[in-house]
Amino acid sequence: MKNILKNRFVNIAFLVICAIFLRFYLEGFIEEENGLWLRMTSIIIILTFGGFFVLKGVAQIIEETTEILSERTKIASGLLQSLGTAFPDMVLGIVAAIISLSLVKTDYTLAINFAIIAAATTFGSNIYNIAHAVWCVFRQNLANKKGKNVLMFPFTKAFGTVIPMKDHKTKPSLLEIDTSVDILNVLTILTAVVAICMVVFGQVANPPENTKGDLYQLIKPVGYVVLILCIFAMYFFRKTKREHILGKEVEKEEKYYAKKATWVILLTLFISGIAILFTAESMVKAVQSFCAITGTPFVVAGVLAGVIGCIGEMIVVHNFTVNPKGRIGDALVGVAMDNIVTTMGASIVAVMGGIFLGGNALILIFVIILALNSVLIWQISKLKSYFLTT
């Protein structure tokens, strides 16, 4: 046990040290006074190492602790999971907004660029979350239909195998599946409200000269309304809808935290949050520098950065799908609630006064999100039909 404690402590400490290194050392090499190759190398390291090491490591911690906290608090583990995995999305957006607001008086154009990154990262991450969840449920339905194991991704075993639901040791409840559909419907309504309000009430009269096309803003009054709606939705769906399994069989990775006090788990998550915060700031500045060097539109870079912000949720959904212990219900509730949490992050950014999107990008992002929500509801309905017919 001492060796396990040491390993866990070292892992968490190492994540924090890496985040501090990115924020307070490597970030200095992306400034304009440095050479092009040095800047690009630093940008690549910050984005890849920050996203696929620090954020991935924190996602693993979240995955291992949410079931423990859910058992003790009776709060839906999908909600707890979303609060943790959506944190990178929120932080990326909020940090970009803070940087934007700090530049309004000195460099308005640059401030707008950071605000666009904030919006595109926040809403762009919702696209990846839902699309990946659609694929996971599709593969689960295929395994159920064939009655045998199928690879998560064809032609490679590297990403795990999806097991038919009949072979799962514990199955998700129908209430849990219904709840995930309800949350997705709420998310669809919230997304539509945000899109309509930005177009109807948020068009910027005098956008910066370098802005191509229209520029829309999520104004403060709408931000407050969306924030209240998101908080209400999270409160309404806060209760768990399934029987807990910790007393019967605990995941191997969860045994460590199952023996720890709640305050120890919360402290671990808090420290992990600090690592995310430092990493997020470095990544936002790295995205801005990349756009400045390559001429890439900020909204495009922001959307691409969204995949880094949501990688935690994608990993959790993936792992819960290939886990034969009924955790796909957590995954469905978690991914839907995750996007409500990121929408709440967007509303917080709007209240701060720093969220913008260009016209064409705005329409494309929201159309894709709404379409993917519908496809995910379709796949979940097929999963529910499997339970009803068997």
Side-chain angles (χ1 to χ4, degrees):
M1 179 59 67
K2 291 183 178 179
N3 291 333
I4 295 177
L5 176 62
K6 181 179 179 180
N7 290 337
R8 298 292 173 130
F9 176 80
V10 169
N11 288 340
I12 296 172
F14 188 57
L15 290 175
V16 176
I17 291 172
C18 290
I20 292 174
F21 172 78
L22 294 177
R23 169 62 182 85
F24 295 101
Y25 180 75
L26 198 60
E27 186 181 306
F29 292 106
I30 65 176
E31 301 296 334
E32 292 184 3
E33 60 267 18
N34 295 304
L36 176 61
W37 286 107
L38 180 59
R39 294 178 67 190
M40 288 299 297
T41 302
S42 301
I43 290 170
I44 293 172
I45 293 175
I46 289 174
L47 294 178
T48 56
F49 194 75
F52 297 99
F53 181 79
V54 178
L55 298 187
K56 181 180 178 181
V58 172
Q60 182 178 357
I61 294 173
I62 293 167
E63 180 183 347
E64 294 173 1
T65 55
T66 51
E67 184 69 14
I68 310 298
L69 291 176
S70 179
E71 172 74 13
R72 296 177 183 179
T73 63
K74 305 307 177 185
I75 296 175
S77 57
L79 173 57
L80 294 172
Q81 163 198 325
S82 68
L83 290 173
T85 54
F87 190 64
D89 300 339
M90 291 180 63
V91 171
L92 283 170
I94 292 174
V95 167
I98 292 174
I99 297 173
S100 172
L101 293 174
S102 68
L103 294 170
V104 168
K105 294 182 179 180
T106 58
D107 192 335
Y108 184 67
T109 299
L110 186 58
I112 291 294
N113 292 338
F114 273 109
I116 291 175
I117 291 174
T121 301
T122 302
F123 290 114
S125 66
N126 287 6
I127 295 175
Y128 303 115
N129 280 341
I130 297 294
H132 183 256
V134 167
W135 178 259
C136 289
V137 182
F138 166 73
R139 299 303 287 180
Q140 182 66 67
N141 287 331
L142 184 62
N144 295 342
K145 182 178 179 179
K146 291 185 174 182
K148 62 180 182 180
N149 297 354
V150 299
L151 297 175
M152 175 59 81
F153 290 96
F155 312 116
T156 177
K157 297 180 180 180
F159 298 97
T161 303
V162 182
I163 301 172
M165 197 61 67
K166 63 183 180 64
D167 296 329
H168 282 217
K169 297 178 182 178
T170 306
K171 298 175 177 60
S173 68
L174 290 177
L175 274 176
E176 201 170 18
I177 294 175
D178 286 339
T179 299
S180 66
V181 174
D182 290 341
I183 298 174
L184 281 168
N185 284 322
V186 171
L187 175 64
T188 299
I189 295 171
L190 283 173
T191 303
V193 168
V194 172
I196 292 170
C197 290
M198 287 186 80
V199 173
V200 174
F201 304 111
Q203 185 169 7
V204 178
N206 298 306
E209 294 181 358
N210 66 334
T211 302
K212 296 181 180 179
D214 297 326
L215 184 66
Y216 297 99
Q217 179 182 16
L218 188 61
I219 60 176
K220 285 188 178 182
V222 176
Y224 281 113
V225 172
V226 174
L227 178 60
I228 292 171
L229 291 176
C230 289
I231 293 174
F232 176 77
M234 293 166 61
Y235 178 80
F236 186 82
F237 294 108
R238 71 191 184 281
K239 293 295 185 180
T240 184
K241 301 295 182 182
R242 73 179 178 91
E243 179 185 359
H244 287 276
I245 61 174
L246 286 182
K248 302 175 182 178
E249 185 173 5
V250 181
E251 295 286 337
K252 178 181 179 181
E253 296 83 1
E254 293 170 350
K255 288 182 179 179
Y256 171 79
Y257 291 105
K259 298 178 181 179
K260 299 301 175 185
T262 300
W263 71 267
V264 174
I265 298 175
L266 294 175
L267 179 62
T268 300
L269 293 175
F270 175 76
I271 295 173
S272 301
I274 294 175
I276 292 177
L277 183 63
F278 287 148
T279 304
E281 183 172 354
S282 299
M283 290 170 63
V284 168
K285 291 184 177 179
V287 169
Q288 191 277 330
S289 295
F290 176 80
C291 292
I293 294 172
T294 62
T296 303
F298 286 90
V299 65
V300 174
V303 171
L304 294 177
V307 73
I308 301 173
C310 72
I311 191 173
E313 176 63 31
M314 293 173 69
I315 292 171
V316 171
V317 172
H318 179 92
N319 290 346
F320 282 4
T321 302
V322 299
N323 186 325
K325 296 181 181 178
R327 302 300 292 274
I328 192 172
D330 283 342
L332 296 175
V333 173
V335 73
M337 190 62 75
D338 179 277
N339 287 1
I340 289 182
V341 174
T342 54
T343 302
M344 182 180 69
S347 67
I348 294 173
V349 174
V351 170
M352 295 168 60
I355 191 163
F356 295 86
L357 270 181
N360 294 336
L362 172 76
I363 295 171
L364 288 175
I365 288 175
F366 285 116
V367 166
I368 292 172
I369 291 174
L370 293 173
L372 288 173
N373 282 350
S374 298
V375 176
L376 182 55
I377 292 173
W378 169 45
Q379 289 298 317
I380 293 175
S381 298
K382 293 182 68 174
L383 180 64
K384 182 179 178 180
S385 297
Y386 169 82
F387 284 105
L388 294 176
T389 56
T390 58

